[in-house]
Every structure is written in C-alpha cells, then in structure tokens.
Amino acid sequence: MRKKVIITGISGQDGSHMADYLIKHTDHMIYGAIRRLSVNNHRNFEHLKEHPRFQLINMDLTDSHSITNAVREIEPDYFINFAAQSFVAGSWDYPIQTWETDSNSVLHMLEAIHMFAPNCRFYNAGSSEEFGDVEYSPQDEDHPLRPQSPYGAAKCAARHLVRVYRESYNLFAIQGWLFNHEGTRRGLDFVTRKISHNVAKIKLAIEAGEPIPSFSLGNLEAMRDWSDAEDMMDGVWKMLNNETPQEFILASGEMHSVREFLETSLNCAGITFKKHGKDDNEEYLTTDGQIIMKINPEFYRPAEVHELLGDSSLAEDELGWVRHHEFEDLVRKMYENDYKLLKG
C-alpha cells in the first residue's frame, strides 16, 4: 500500500520544495495542508495540483479539530510540519500569534498523532534562532537554547514538546535545526528576497532609463549561515528515515553578512555602486548619485542575533547529507529569478 505524507505549509518555501522532493524521489501520496483563505496563495505548488499523487487538504494551525480530523482520516505514515509564523522580525509585532502557530499547534499535532496514528513519523521544523545569543561557534547539537525573539522562544518550546511526546509515548518525533535557507520561493518579507527582488527592480529601471526605486534595510552587519532551501529537503527526509529518532543540524558552515548578500546581488546584476555615510545614515548609491539602499533604524530588532554558524558534521557523517549550492550560487539564482519574474 502506498504510504501517505501530510505536509503543512505547502504554500510556503519549504513545504512546496518538500512536496517536489517527495514526488521525485518516492511513490508516496502527498497531502498538502493549507489554511482556507478568501484569496488563494498557490503559486509555489500550482505545478502540483494535477499530479495524481498530490492532494490539497484544509488545515488551520489555530484549530485543533482540523488537525485532529486530518490525522484521524488520513492516518499518515509521515507528518512534516513546515507551517509557522516564520518571520522572525514580525514575531515582536505578533508574539501571541507566533506562539500559537509555532508552539501550541505542535502540541495539537503530537496529540493527534499519539491518539490516531502512533506509528507516524513526525518532523517539526526547528530553527537556528533557538540558539539566539550564542555561547560558541559553530553551533552544534549540544549548544544550549538561548532564544532572542518570540519566534525563537516558540521554537524552543516546540522542541521540548516534541521531546516529551517522543519519550512519553515512544513516538518517532524529531525537530531538526535548519539554519537560514533561502531560495526563489522565499517570501518578500525576508531580507534575502527583499534584496534580490529590489535589486532586480533597480536593474530593470536602469535598463529602461527610468529613475530607480530605492529600498531600505536594517542591520547590515548581522551574520547568517545561508544555504539553498532545496538542499535542505534531502536532509529532512534522511532524518525522518533514520533508524532512530535523532535531531540534527543542517547548515552551510559559512557566515555571510546582510551587507555581503546586498553587494553580491548588486554584482550579479552588474550594478556599479558606491557607499556614502555611516551607521544609521549609510546609503548605497549608483555612480550617478541615485539612492539604491538606505538604512532604516526601524528595521533593527529589539534583541539582535548577531552571528549564527552551524556545524552540520554530524548530519554529514551519520546521514550522508550533502550540500550542492554555495552562497554566490544562491544569491545569483534568487536575483535572476526575480529579474525574470519582474520582466515578465
């Protein structure tokens, strides 16, 4: 009998990439869970809608009944939770919503699996933001949890829930640490996609001989460990099919600043730039003096996570996980995709 997989967050970056990965590498039936909206947001999985092994189901993370009903009716072999309020900066604006969707909903999923599908293998998306105010670099699986945002705190709470249900009910339940991972399906609220999208808009304006549309960023010196989201899916699947329920870090092992991401994007676009001012008054300009980017202190976080660097050697050694894309490849891929989308 064909195995069944529920994937939440199917309209987002990770959920849609996970569905693509499973369609390609397995013969499983994929159930993509989505919240009912008056205006749909199906672009990331539009190509899967007619596939015979893909089916959309309705599920709302804030409604425990919809989660329980889906698990009871489908009896999944795998449940992969990528749904979340995943915008870290927004978690200060919506802390309660963030807690409900990133922590409380995980409790409902675990309870439903415990009651109606105890043999189901459960994966919850963890985050490097759980490490927060880091004590050492690179961070490995033994690093203490020190979140610096409501988002990071909610992910830490979910991790403890996953462990409690694993140990109490002998469930195969894990929460991997995925360090920052980006790609062409990343939402426009995220700094990487904000940069690639705006640089593409500026490039098109330059080509058309029009005034360029400037944009704003916050802390350019924040350092992150960025990978290609598509590389992460194989690692998640390997975790889920490991002999024992063990949690791993997936990361690039390299740090790059927001400034590097910006300058690499501009270089990919062939846009010559110069810098003017410093600190809150810093600007990036074209050679003819048009503003490309300026700093907006309103984008600074109340508690900044300055450096995140992951050690994925355990996943590489024990799971055989391999990354295939480097930082510059990722930036170029995102810029070129946005240029193509905007050009039409």
Side-chain angles (χ1 to χ4, degrees):
M1 181 179 293
R2 180 167 283 157
K3 291 187 176 181
K4 295 170 286 187
V5 185
I6 292 177
I7 303 175
T8 67
I10 195 69
S11 63
Q13 170 184 261
D14 290 2
S16 60
H17 279 313
M18 192 77 240
D20 286 343
Y21 177 91
L22 294 179
I23 290 293
K24 180 179 180 180
H25 294 283
T26 75
D27 66 350
H28 302 344
M29 183 68 194
I30 313 302
Y31 296 87
I34 191 168
R35 181 165 55 98
R36 191 185 297 276
L37 297 171
S38 58
V39 178
N40 71 47
N41 178 26
H42 294 182
R43 185 175 69 86
N44 284 341
F45 63 87
E46 193 73 40
H47 60 288
L48 292 174
K49 282 186 173 180
E50 302 303 319
H51 198 284
R53 291 195 288 114
F54 180 80
Q55 181 179 327
L56 274 181
I57 61 173
N58 291 313
M59 184 186 295
D60 190 329
L61 296 189
T62 63
D63 181 356
S64 63
H65 295 291
S66 70
I67 296 171
T68 300
N69 288 341
V71 172
R72 182 172 55 225
E73 292 171 10
I74 295 171
E75 295 184 335
D77 298 281
Y78 299 91
F79 191 121
I80 304 173
N81 180 39
F82 281 127
Q85 193 300 99
S86 55
F87 186 41
V88 179
S91 71
W92 278 280
D93 298 323
Y94 309 105
I96 295 173
Q97 181 200 55
T98 299
W99 193 268
E100 289 179 349
T101 56
D102 295 9
S103 180
N104 289 354
S105 66
V106 175
L107 178 59
H108 299 317
M109 293 171 196
L110 289 164
E111 185 64 14
I113 289 168
H114 159 56
M115 294 294 293
F116 300 108
N119 294 319
C120 174
R121 294 190 170 210
F122 176 73
Y123 176 87
N124 190 55
S127 170
S128 57
E129 292 286 335
E130 296 173 49
F131 297 133
D133 185 18
V134 300
E135 291 189 344
Y136 59 84
S137 287
Q139 293 85 58
D140 56 23
E141 288 81 0
D142 294 324
H143 191 284
L145 304 181
R146 295 166 56 87
Q148 288 283 86
S149 66
Y151 170 84
K155 286 294 185 179
C156 288
R159 178 172 300 281
H160 289 304
L161 288 170
V162 169
R163 177 188 58 79
V164 166
Y165 270 72
R166 180 173 64 239
E167 295 177 356
S168 298
Y169 299 116
N170 198 32
L171 298 181
F172 192 108
I174 54 174
Q175 178 165 311
W177 285 280
L178 271 60
F179 275 59
N180 293 65
H181 49 288
E182 314 296 327
T184 58
R185 299 179 186 177
R186 177 55 97 185
L188 291 171
D189 286 338
F190 291 81
V191 67
T192 51
R193 183 74 192 286
K194 181 179 182 179
I195 291 170
S196 66
H197 186 80
N198 278 285
V199 169
K201 286 169 65 177
I202 290 170
K203 177 66 172 179
L204 289 167
I206 291 172
E207 290 177 343
E210 299 171 350
I212 68 171
S214 64
F215 65 103
S216 299
L217 295 173
N219 180 14
L220 296 183
E221 310 311 328
M223 304 287 288
R224 293 293 182 268
D225 182 325
W226 276 306
S227 296
D228 191 309
E230 293 184 68
D231 284 344
M232 297 296 199
M233 301 304 108
D234 182 61
V236 170
W237 192 239
K238 280 180 163 61
M239 279 190 234
L240 271 169
N241 289 280
N242 198 25
E243 185 175 344
T244 58
Q246 184 176 352
E247 298 170 332
F248 295 87
I249 284 174
L250 302 183
S252 73
E254 299 176 2
M255 278 198 303
H256 298 274
S257 66
V258 174
R259 185 185 298 278
E260 285 181 81
F261 202 103
L262 170 63
E263 294 185 358
T264 304
S265 296
L266 290 168
N267 290 334
C268 287
I271 298 174
T272 304
F273 60 89
K274 58 184 179 180
K275 292 178 272 192
H276 177 263
K278 61 180 182 178
D279 300 329
D280 293 353
N281 297 312
E282 185 175 8
E283 296 175 336
Y284 276 61
L285 309 169
T286 60
T287 52
D288 61 356
Q290 296 186 80
I291 297 175
I292 295 171
M293 188 285 306
K294 54 188 176 182
I295 297 296
N296 185 348
E298 291 184 6
F299 292 147
Y300 294 162
R301 296 179 182 179
E304 180 63 84
V305 176
H306 296 287
E307 295 185 1
L308 289 172
L309 177 65
D311 177 1
S312 59
S313 58
L314 191 64
E316 293 165 4
D317 293 343
E318 296 197 11
L319 299 177
W321 178 66
V322 178
R323 287 174 60 249
H324 298 287
H325 300 90
E326 299 301 324
F327 175 74
E328 289 191 11
D329 300 330
L330 170 64
V331 178
R332 182 173 298 279
K333 172 182 175 180
M334 292 179 68
Y335 161 72
E336 291 179 348
N337 181 74
D338 276 323
Y339 179 86
K340 182 179 178 180
L341 287 175
L342 289 167
K343 191 170 184 179

